[in-house]
């Protein structure tokens, strides 16, 4: 970020530059909090274990800090929107998207509105945040701000600390209030997700990462390619390894079921390699370190009944402690090779 903080030139009075310098610090703080919120959000999505918890504490504090800056930013925005700058509407749209994201995040966390038809509050929360990214980059690039020594003065740093501390206290208070008033949000898991249909397969939600539609698969025609051979559905159905595990979807729900099928290490047999890649008939796939195979299950059943098409019939992967997007549905092939497990996008692209 370099030159171009040109406002003092247009404001020759002695009083204005002070106000503007304050505006620059607000913008700078906003940039920092938005960046933190965006990355900790994805970090929380990457885990269904403790890193999700501390990511979300930082995330929520960042979100509350952005809320705290809104009065100051709206002063800057009101001042700027009056200027005949091209594409001001894009800044206004950025504002709308960030507000949608903030409101949807709070609706999710309080539990006041978790499901909106086929979509969840989380879908709006993350969707609006992603849509805001190009606008935010453009907004900042077009309005270069110069970081001045005073922006890093003791006073500025103390002020930033006060905003962060205040945001953390506000977040903690919101959690206490949610519990005291019995808001539905009090029941969320450490990932922020809500329980749905546990131990009741018929009530478990059906979800896709992005665009995958439920395929129609004929149980007689279907074959699984794994361990150097082909498996029929009935052959796989004969395996009775069991695992009780919780699917935690980034869409904002979790569901615990008693899964049954074949342990993954039994399915791949003696195949040697560093990683195991589990592939769906739709092409959707995920790769895992081979030493995790014995903790994963290729399930054909849950709660004593066969999987239905929505939940992955004929077979789906169960990944204890892995977010829902690792639980590949409609599995058709399992491959073992030496491609490293990190040589894949951190989140599926389809
Ligand atoms: C513009 C960027 C973002 C802002 C300002 C923001 C802000 C917020 C706020 C204020 C909350 C409510 C916190 C609470 O009361 O507990 C929240 C919750 C949440 N956000 Fe974000 N967020 C942003 C982007 C994202 C992204 C990109 C993701 C994921 C990829 C994400 C994932 C989550 C999750 C999982 C929760 C629920 C946490 C819980 O209920 O405990 N956020 N966010
Ligand atoms: C929540 C995200 C943000 C929103 C919604 C937002 C919105 C706005 C709006 C509506 C304006 C006035 C119209 C315009 O100039 O296009 C504006 C001006 C401005 N914004 Fe932002 N902004 C955000 C974040 C940032 C960040 C992160 C920076 C810099 C790091 C920044 C720097 C500026 C500057 C320098 C101006 C010009 C002020 C003036 O002309 O007086 N903004 N912003
Ligand atoms: N083939 C395929 N498998 C998939 C997905 C997908 O889009 N395609 N979505 C994943 C995601 S994000 C989740 S949360 C779970 C949802 O499983 P469910 O519909 O049984 O609740 O499936 C996972 N397996
Ligand atoms: Mo999901």
């Amino acid at each position: 970020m370099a030159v171009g903080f040109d406002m003092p030139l247009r404001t020759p009075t002695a009083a204005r530059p002070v106000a503007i310098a304050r505006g620059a610090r607000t913008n700078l703080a906003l940039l920092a909090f938005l960046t933190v919120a965006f990355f900790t959000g994805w970090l929380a999505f990457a885990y269904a274990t403790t890193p999700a918890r501390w990511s979300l504490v930082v995330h929520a504090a960042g979100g509350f800090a952005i809320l705290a800056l809104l009065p100051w930013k709206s002063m800057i925005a009101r001042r700027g929107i009056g200027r005949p700058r091209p594409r001001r509407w894009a800044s206004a749209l950025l504002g709308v998207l960030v507000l949608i994201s903030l409101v949807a995040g709070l609706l999710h966390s309080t539990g006041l509105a978790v499901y909106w038809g086929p979509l969840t509050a989380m879908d709006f929360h993350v969707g609006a945040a992603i849509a805001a990214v190009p606008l935010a980059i453009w907004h900042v690039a077009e309005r270069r701000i110069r970081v001045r020594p005073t922006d890093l003065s003791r006073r500025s740093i103390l002020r930033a600390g006060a905003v962060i501390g205040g945001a953390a206290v506000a977040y903690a208070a919101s959690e206490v209030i949610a519990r005291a008033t019995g808001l539905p949000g009090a029941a969320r898991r450490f990932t922020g997700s809500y329980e749905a249909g546990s131990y009741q397969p018929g009530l478990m939600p059906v979800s896709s990462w992005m665009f995958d539609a439920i395929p129609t698969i004929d149980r007689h025609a279907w074959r699984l390619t794994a361990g150097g051979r082909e498996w029929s559905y009935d052959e796989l159905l004969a395996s009775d390894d069991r695992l009780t595990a919780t699917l935690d979807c980034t869409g904002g729900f979790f569901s615990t079921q008693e899964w049954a099928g074949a342990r993954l290490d039994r399915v791949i047999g003696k195949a040697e390699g560093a990683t195991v890649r589990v592939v769906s008939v739709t092409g959707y796939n995920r790769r895992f370190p081979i030493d995790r195979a014995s903790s994963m299950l290729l399930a054909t059943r849950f709660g004593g009944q066969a999987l239905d098409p929505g939940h992955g019939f004929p077979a789906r992967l169960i990944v204890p402690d892995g977010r829902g997007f690792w639980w590949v549905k409609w599995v058709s092939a399992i491959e073992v090779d030496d491609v490293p497990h990190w040589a894949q996008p951190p989140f599926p692209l389809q």
Side-chain angles (χ1 to χ4, degrees):
M1 222 154 296
V3 289
F5 190 72
D6 59 348
M7 283 170 295
L9 296 178
R10 291 200 223 119
T11 52
T13 63
R16 291 294 294 276
V18 177
I20 284 157
R22 223 174 265 145
R25 283 199 292 261
T26 300
N27 284 333
L28 211 57
L30 204 47
L31 179 62
F33 295 140
L34 282 169
T35 308
V36 165
F38 196 79
F39 285 101
T40 51
W42 286 105
L43 198 57
F45 269 18
Y47 291 94
T49 47
T50 38
R53 177 66 280 174
W54 55 256
S55 307
L56 285 176
V57 170
V58 177
H59 185 78
F64 276 76
I66 291 168
L67 279 174
L69 290 180
L70 282 186
W72 279 274
K73 182 63 194 185
S74 61
M75 268 159 58
I76 299 169
R78 225 175 295 142
R79 201 167 63 205
I81 216 102
R83 298 210 173 108
R85 199 175 255 136
R87 292 184 289 277
R88 275 177 299 180
W89 59 268
S91 303
L93 181 59
L94 170 63
V96 170
L97 289 172
V98 171
L99 282 179
I100 290 176
S101 187
L102 281 169
V103 169
L106 291 168
L107 287 177
H108 168 90
S109 295
T110 52
L112 293 176
V114 179
Y115 294 98
W116 295 346
L119 295 173
T120 63
M122 256 308 125
D123 295 329
F124 282 90
H125 180 64
V126 179
I130 292 173
V133 168
L135 287 171
I137 291 173
W138 163 80
H139 185 82
V140 175
E142 286 269 286
R143 293 162 191 68
R144 302 265 169 111
I145 53 166
R146 189 175 51 200
V147 183
R148 305 187 240 195
T150 50
D151 294 336
L152 299 173
S153 68
R154 221 173 88 87
R155 198 158 140 223
S156 298
I157 288 165
L158 284 176
R159 207 177 283 165
V163 172
I164 294 167
V169 168
Y171 166 55
S174 76
E175 287 292 307
V176 171
I177 291 167
R179 279 166 183 73
T181 57
L183 278 176
R188 83 214 191 276
R189 200 174 182 234
F190 66 94
T191 55
S193 296
Y194 289 87
E195 194 282 320
S198 288
Y199 304 102
Q200 292 171 286
L203 297 181
M204 181 175 173
V206 170
S207 183
S208 272
W209 175 252
M210 278 197 289
F211 310 119
D212 256 8
I214 301 170
T216 308
I217 298 173
D218 175 54
R219 62 172 281 175
H220 300 293
W222 177 84
R223 289 288 178 280
L224 169 73
T225 311
R229 65 182 189 97
E230 296 209 323
W231 303 63
S232 70
Y233 179 64
D234 290 332
E235 211 179 338
L236 198 60
L237 208 51
S239 298
D240 198 23
D241 293 324
R242 286 158 191 247
L243 190 57
T244 299
T246 302
L247 182 152
D248 192 329
C249 174
T250 55
F253 75 86
F254 72 89
S255 192
T256 306
Q257 305 291 342
E258 289 162 339
W259 307 93
R263 241 170 60 187
L264 203 65
D265 57 334
R266 294 198 217 273
V267 180
I268 56 183
K270 290 196 173 60
E272 279 186 36
T275 58
V276 52
R277 179 170 172 260
V278 180
V279 189
S280 169
V281 295
T282 65
Y284 185 102
N285 67 88
R286 292 268 90 195
R287 188 180 280 284
F288 306 83
I290 193 91
D291 56 17
R292 285 184 65 190
S294 58
S295 67
M296 295 190 280
L297 189 74
L298 188 63
T300 49
R301 286 156 286 152
F302 63 157
Q305 63 189 59
L307 291 174
D308 55 282
H311 292 106
F313 172 86
R316 70 105 43 94
L317 190 64
I318 306 304
V319 189
D321 293 340
R323 274 288 186 143
F325 67 84
W326 294 99
W327 298 45
V328 183
K329 298 195 275 191
W330 317 300
V331 174
S332 60
I334 299 169
E335 302 156 1
V336 175
D337 59 32
D338 280 320
V339 178
H341 69 89
W342 42 261
Q344 66 184 332
F347 298 100
L349 299 177
Q350 78 182 75

